[in-house]
């Protein structure tokens, strides 16, 4: 008998398996799950910046038809754990930031709940507060570490001496603004209590993450909490456990056994689910006469919340990006009476590489060297921070391929050299990078049914990246069966545990567990059954064994971003007619979904460069442009042409698939490429995002 090995599916652009259901509106998200006799929750939010909730009058609200309960700290369920101050809501009368949950109204309809919430009278005592982010803040401090485990400060060599003796130097400060996560699906929950068990339909990036967090808060065993999430409409870092899921669980406990549904409004999301911290970044560079870096110094100031620290790892990318014998990085935080910042697509690398890659462009100009060549000239042989070899590093290939496709060779080196009509035209380049992250703790079960189908079970989630398809491709190849013979079950804590979807780690972590289970299944089939499937089928569970090469190689993805920019000479209006990104990200599992991810990241980078800026009024502590009418993001009209491609990269050290994360790589470097192109067009260096027309007008 001849065994036919099916054609591999990894590397093939298989359409999203859940795509038809999404197009037809049949893919159910958290808030859309069918439940019996649902009730609806509308939050009560703090109307002051900091202080206490002195009194509550809910008389009029409770008298409204359909209202079931009004709850505040006075009658809310008690939490067992209050260690996480962001999540330990309604446990006292204290108010830590404007918009914080101070209670909720539950009613038979969303309209009744919202109307009644407006009738609740909150008597607050306001205290002193501080919400103004400034680099000279008197309470500036160094955190113990930066997200998630990196050293706060690092020093190699003697940076000060090297800067003092450098042939060419740069000393500049760059700023990035406060940015708000705005996934298309709002943060939403359905919570149901049955006796001492809690079930949640939750819009999340990790069902086990939510399970473990809620179990600790309510004093439950994790097995008493079930979290289901078949689809998430975007997360970008914000859809971890926030106070909304805690509020929903509290409300459901008060109206047991009826389900409680909560979906945050867009305005509420601006106050409750985190944001990217603003940054002030001071960069100093030194170079020798040959244009090779001799010193790099990168000092970062960013904000955090007094009630919960989050330290973005903004300068960490500078530790590994370019060859240089003398290097200094540091992070300092400003503690404020605000909601806690959180992860936002490519945390650390996104703001940090804007500053570093802008500085590299300025330094290339000061040295009289082409910006592409300047980066290539400072390419390291080993990771400058660890001294380890890279498992693969093809930044130079990306730069050269991108320059060729972009037509970089036709670029005039001097700024303001090209005009078309009333527009100044320029082009710019920047590099991208993101670490390869493989989180521990994922397991997968694979069952071969008596009918010969292979069912893969893992509690992973698809946040819109194509995971439903990519994991089936990985399983099919590992099992050596056709794609159509594999079924996938995921998004439920009743399945084998999976790590969170974060840090572009999903496919790496979950795929490794699936490959381990597939290998174990095939080995057991051969060793115990001579390759013949038992009558009752076969099932194997395996855990991701981890990466034995982690201590031997430095593992990163890289890319090169190119931008065409036009700035109107009279009005200062800026347009970006073309973006090109060339990436090196290991083996591409599904080119169609990968391209979509990279285009999405670059679109967000364009939005970061030109539009996004959340304005906080320091008097009242809230973001004033808290909707899409005034918090501007890029739309189709802003994105005429984005081209994406990658160089082939064989990296056997990162994981069994040879893949690297790409979800966050695309945004990194985009804003710097646009800023560098704007300088080339106008001769005006914009170091403060976003790049608005007033910055080109004298």
């Amino acid at each position: 008998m001849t065994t036919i090995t099916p054609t591999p599916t990894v590397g093939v652009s298989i359409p999203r398996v859940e795509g038809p259901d999404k197009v037809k509106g049949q893919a159910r998200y958290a808030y859309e799950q069918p439940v019996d006799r649902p009730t609806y929750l509308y939050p009560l939010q703090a109307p002051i910046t900091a202080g206490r909730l002195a009194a509550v009058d809910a008389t009029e609200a409770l008298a409204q038809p359909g209202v079931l309960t009004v709850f505040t700290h006075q009658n809310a369920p008690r939490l067992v754990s209050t260690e996480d101050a962001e999540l330990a809501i309604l446990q006292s009368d204290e108010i830590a930031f404007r918009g914080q949950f101070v209670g909720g109204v539950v009613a038979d309809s969303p309209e009744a709940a919202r109307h009644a919430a407006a009738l609740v009278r909150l008597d607050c005592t306001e205290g002193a507060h501080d919400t103004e982010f400034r680099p000279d803040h008197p309470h500036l401090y160094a955190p113990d570490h930066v997200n998630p485990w990196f050293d706060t400060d690092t020093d190699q060599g003697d940076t000060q001496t090297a800067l003092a003796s450098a042939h060419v130097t740069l000393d500049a400060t760059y700023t990035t603004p406060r940015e708000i996560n705005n996934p298309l699906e709002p943060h939403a929950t359905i919570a149901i209590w049955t006796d001492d068990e809690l079930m949640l339909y939750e819009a999340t990036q990790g069902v086990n993450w939510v399970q473990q967090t809620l179990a600790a808060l309510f004093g439950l065993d994790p097995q008493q909490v079930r979290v289901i999430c078949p689809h998430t409409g975007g997360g970008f870092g914000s859809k971890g456990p926030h106070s909304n899921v805690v509020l929903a669980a509290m409300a459901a406990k008060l109206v047991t056994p009826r389900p409680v549904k909560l979906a945050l409004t867009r305005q509420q999301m601006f106050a409750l689910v985190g944001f990217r911290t603003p940054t002030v970044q001071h960069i100093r560079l030194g170079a020798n006469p040959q244009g090779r870096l001799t010193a790099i110094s990168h000092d970062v100031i960013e904000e955090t919340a007094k009630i919960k620290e989050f330290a973005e790892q903004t300068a960490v990318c500078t530790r590994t990006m370019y060859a240089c014998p003398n290097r200094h990085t540091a992070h300092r935080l400003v503690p404020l009476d605000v909601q806690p910042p959180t992860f936002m697509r490519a945390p650390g690398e996104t703001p940090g590489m804007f500053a570093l890659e802008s500085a590299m462009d300025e330094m290339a100009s000061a040295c009289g060297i082409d910006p592409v060549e300047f980066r290539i000239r400072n390419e390291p042989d080993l990771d400058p921070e660890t001294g380890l070899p890279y498992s693969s590093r093809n930044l130079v290939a990306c730069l050269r391929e991108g320059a060729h496709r972009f037509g970089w060779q036709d670029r005039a080196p001097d700024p303001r050299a090209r005009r078309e009509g009333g527009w100044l035209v320029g082009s710019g380049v920047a590099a991208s990078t993101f670490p390869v992250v493989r989180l521990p703790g994922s397991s997968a079960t694979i069952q071969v049914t008596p009918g010969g189908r292979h069912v893969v079970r893992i509690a992973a989630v698809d946040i819109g990246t194509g995971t439903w398809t990519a994991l089936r491709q990985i399983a099919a190849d590992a099992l050596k069966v056709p794609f159509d013979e594999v079924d996938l079950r995921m998004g439920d804590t009743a399945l084998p545990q999976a790590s969170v979807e974060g840090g572009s780690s999903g496919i790496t972590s979950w795929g490794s567990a699936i490959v381990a289970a597939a290998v174990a299944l095939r080995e057991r089939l051969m060793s115990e059954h001579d390759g013949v499937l038992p009558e009752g089928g076969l099932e194997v569970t395996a855990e991701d064994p981890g990466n034995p090469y982690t201590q031997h190689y430095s593992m990163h993805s890289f890319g090169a971003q190119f931008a065409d920019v036009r700035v109107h000479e009279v009005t200062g209006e800026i347009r970006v007619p073309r973006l090109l990104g060339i990436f090196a990200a290991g083996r591409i599992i599904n080119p169609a979904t990968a391209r979509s991810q990279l285009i999405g990241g670059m679109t967000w980078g364009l939005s970061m460069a030109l539009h996004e800026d959340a304005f906080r009024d320091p008097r009242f502590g809230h973001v004033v442009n808290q909707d899409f009418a005034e918090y501007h993001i890029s739309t189709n009209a802003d994105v005429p042409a984005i081209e994406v491609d990658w160089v082939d990269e064989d990296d056997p050290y990162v994981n069994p698939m040879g893949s690297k994360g790409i979800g966050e790589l695309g945004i990194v470097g985009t804003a710097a490429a646009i800023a560098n192109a704007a300088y080339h067009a106008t001769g005006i260096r914009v170091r403060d995002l976003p790049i608005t027309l007033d910055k080109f007008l004298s």
Side-chain angles (χ1 to χ4, degrees):
M1 179 177 176
T2 303
T3 301
I4 300 175
T5 302
T7 302
T9 61
V10 169
V12 178
S13 291
I14 295 177
R16 292 170 181 253
V17 295
E18 85 286 8
D21 283 347
K22 287 183 174 177
V23 170
K24 292 183 288 186
Q26 295 176 351
R28 287 194 174 120
Y29 292 82
Y31 196 78
E32 301 167 328
Q33 298 295 329
V35 291
D36 293 331
R37 299 178 64 232
T39 65
Y40 299 87
L41 167 62
Y42 197 83
L44 301 174
Q45 294 177 265
I48 63 171
T49 306
R52 295 185 178 277
L53 179 57
V56 179
D57 184 353
T59 305
E60 190 175 357
L62 287 167
Q64 298 303 305
V67 173
L68 302 177
T69 187
V70 176
F71 64 104
T72 65
H73 69 281
Q74 297 171 338
N75 60 332
R78 296 295 92 187
L79 298 175
V80 172
S81 171
T82 58
E83 182 179 348
D84 188 325
E86 179 192 6
L87 302 182
I89 56 173
L90 311 190
Q91 301 303 289
S92 75
D93 61 356
E94 294 183 17
I95 294 172
F97 60 89
R98 181 177 290 271
Q100 180 183 4
F101 287 143
V102 294
V105 177
V106 183
D108 285 328
S109 72
E111 294 83 5
R114 186 165 187 163
H115 173 64
L119 301 176
V120 177
R121 297 181 182 178
L122 303 175
D123 182 8
C124 298
T125 302
E126 188 159 17
H129 63 265
D130 179 10
T131 66
E132 186 175 5
F133 174 62
R134 60 188 193 275
D136 61 346
H137 196 282
H139 299 302
L140 204 67
Y141 74 96
D144 291 336
H145 62 271
V146 295
N147 176 60
W149 53 71
F150 295 112
D151 290 339
T152 301
D153 300 347
T154 59
D155 283 287
Q156 293 174 298
D158 187 343
T159 306
Q160 297 300 329
T161 300
L163 284 167
S165 61
H167 181 71
V168 181
T169 59
L170 171 76
D171 188 324
T173 298
Y174 307 84
T175 70
T176 60
R178 188 174 300 101
E179 299 167 4
I180 309 293
N181 269 311
N182 271 295
L184 186 61
E185 177 198 25
H187 292 62
T189 307
I190 300 177
I192 310 165
W193 283 92
T194 305
D195 297 325
D196 59 351
E197 294 187 346
L198 173 62
M199 183 163 137
L200 298 165
Y201 294 102
E202 174 72 355
T204 181
Q205 294 178 230
V207 290
N208 291 111
W209 190 12
V210 175
Q211 177 193 45
Q212 292 155 10
T213 301
L214 270 290
L217 287 169
F218 286 92
L220 303 174
D221 185 279
Q223 297 308 310
Q224 294 174 272
V225 181
R226 184 178 179 187
V227 184
I228 299 174
C229 178
H231 304 285
T232 294
F236 312 114
S238 72
K239 280 188 177 162
H242 289 291
S243 55
N244 58 292
V245 65
V246 184
L247 191 74
M250 286 180 166
K253 203 167 185 63
L254 295 173
V255 298
T256 301
R258 294 183 67 180
V260 166
K261 302 181 74 169
L262 169 64
L264 296 185
T265 66
R266 187 62 60 180
Q267 289 81 7
Q268 288 166 349
M269 287 171 59
F270 276 75
L272 291 162
V273 298
F275 61 96
R276 194 197 300 281
T277 175
T279 70
V280 176
Q281 303 180 55
H282 181 206
I283 291 189
R284 293 174 293 162
L285 301 179
N288 64 21
Q290 291 74 42
R292 289 187 170 82
L293 293 171
T294 58
I296 300 176
S297 177
H298 191 170
D299 290 278
V300 181
I301 298 172
E302 51 201 37
E303 76 175 42
T304 191
K306 288 181 180 177
I307 65 165
K308 183 178 180 179
E309 180 183 282
F310 181 81
E312 184 138 345
Q313 67 276 30
T314 306
V316 166
C317 48
T318 300
R319 300 172 185 175
T320 189
M321 198 61 199
Y322 296 109
C324 183
N326 304 287
R327 191 184 314 261
H328 162 81
T329 67
H331 299 80
R332 297 294 181 267
L333 300 182
V334 176
L336 299 174
D337 297 299
V338 298
Q339 65 156 317
T342 193
F343 317 101
M344 189 169 180
R345 199 176 203 172
E349 275 72 15
T350 296
M353 287 291 281
F354 164 70
L356 178 62
E357 289 300 297
S358 296
M360 288 292 288
D361 197 74
E362 292 199 56
M363 196 63 169
S365 178
C367 292
I369 301 173
D370 175 83
V372 171
E373 171 59 27
F374 185 69
R375 288 170 173 81
I376 293 173
R377 195 169 295 189
N378 287 285
E379 175 73 3
D381 296 323
L382 302 172
D383 183 332
E385 182 178 26
T386 66
L388 296 174
Y390 289 95
S391 61
S392 56
R393 179 179 166 117
N394 285 297
L395 174 58
V396 171
C398 293
L399 287 164
R400 286 178 172 154
E401 179 66 16
H404 172 71
R405 295 197 193 189
F406 198 72
W408 190 262
Q409 67 278 3
D410 299 325
R411 175 185 187 265
D414 296 328
R416 299 183 68 91
R418 184 179 169 194
R419 286 177 171 80
E420 292 183 5
W423 298 86
L424 298 168
V425 181
S427 53
V429 64
S432 294
T433 188
F434 201 76
V436 176
V437 180
R438 182 169 170 178
L439 298 176
S442 293
S443 298
T445 296
I446 301 180
Q447 176 193 21
V448 187
T449 68
R453 295 200 65 78
H454 295 75
V455 182
V456 179
R457 294 183 173 88
I458 186 169
V461 293
D462 189 331
I463 63 173
T465 59
T467 302
W468 278 105
T469 310
L471 289 185
R472 277 182 62 182
Q473 291 177 262
I474 291 168
D477 282 14
L479 292 164
K480 300 189 184 303
V481 299
F483 178 83
D484 291 339
E485 291 185 11
V486 177
D487 297 320
L488 179 63
R489 306 282 185 268
M490 66 179 193
D492 189 337
T493 53
L495 302 170
Q497 179 171 309
S499 59
V500 65
E501 170 61 291
S504 297
S505 67
I507 294 299
T508 291
S509 305
W510 309 328
S512 297
I514 289 172
V515 170
V519 170
L521 177 69
R522 294 177 63 228
E523 289 178 349
R524 183 173 167 188
L525 189 62
M526 294 303 297
S527 64
E528 298 181 14
H529 304 284
D530 295 324
V532 179
L533 181 63
E535 184 177 339
L538 189 64
E539 181 176 296
V540 169
T541 298
E543 185 175 349
D544 174 12
N547 189 343
Y549 301 107
T550 301
Q551 303 302 317
H552 305 288
Y553 293 95
S554 180
M555 303 177 186
H556 300 261
S557 296
F558 292 95
Q561 307 269 17
F562 293 82
D564 265 337
V565 163
R566 293 167 178 255
V567 179
H568 198 277
E569 274 192 285
V570 176
T571 67
E573 178 186 355
I574 180 169
R575 296 181 181 177
V576 183
R578 182 188 180 200
L579 289 172
L580 168 67
I582 304 292
F583 302 96
R587 190 181 185 195
I588 303 300
I589 303 297
N590 185 317
T593 57
R595 191 177 304 277
S596 176
Q597 282 292 290
L598 292 167
I599 288 175
M602 292 173 67
T603 301
W604 199 345
L606 171 64
S607 194
M608 173 187 179
L610 302 186
H611 303 302
E612 296 193 44
D613 191 353
F615 293 93
R616 181 188 295 137
D617 189 326
R619 298 171 300 169
F620 308 115
H622 73 292
V623 173
V624 296
N625 54 330
Q626 53 182 320
D627 54 43
F628 286 161
E630 295 182 331
Y631 182 84
H632 296 164
I633 59 174
S634 290
T635 62
N636 286 349
D638 300 302
V639 190
I642 296 183
E643 305 164 52
V644 166
D645 209 342
W646 43 81
V647 299
D648 292 333
E649 190 171 68
D650 181 14
D651 191 330
Y653 304 109
V654 285
N655 56 59
M657 300 82 64
S659 62
K660 298 178 179 179
I662 57 172
E664 295 168 278
L665 181 63
I667 187 175
V668 180
T670 305
I674 292 170
N676 294 339
Y679 167 76
H680 184 238
T682 65
I684 297 172
R685 176 66 64 178
V686 178
R687 300 188 180 102
D688 307 302
L689 293 183
I691 307 170
T692 48
L693 59 85
D694 56 295
K695 293 169 183 174
F696 299 108
L697 302 176
S698 57

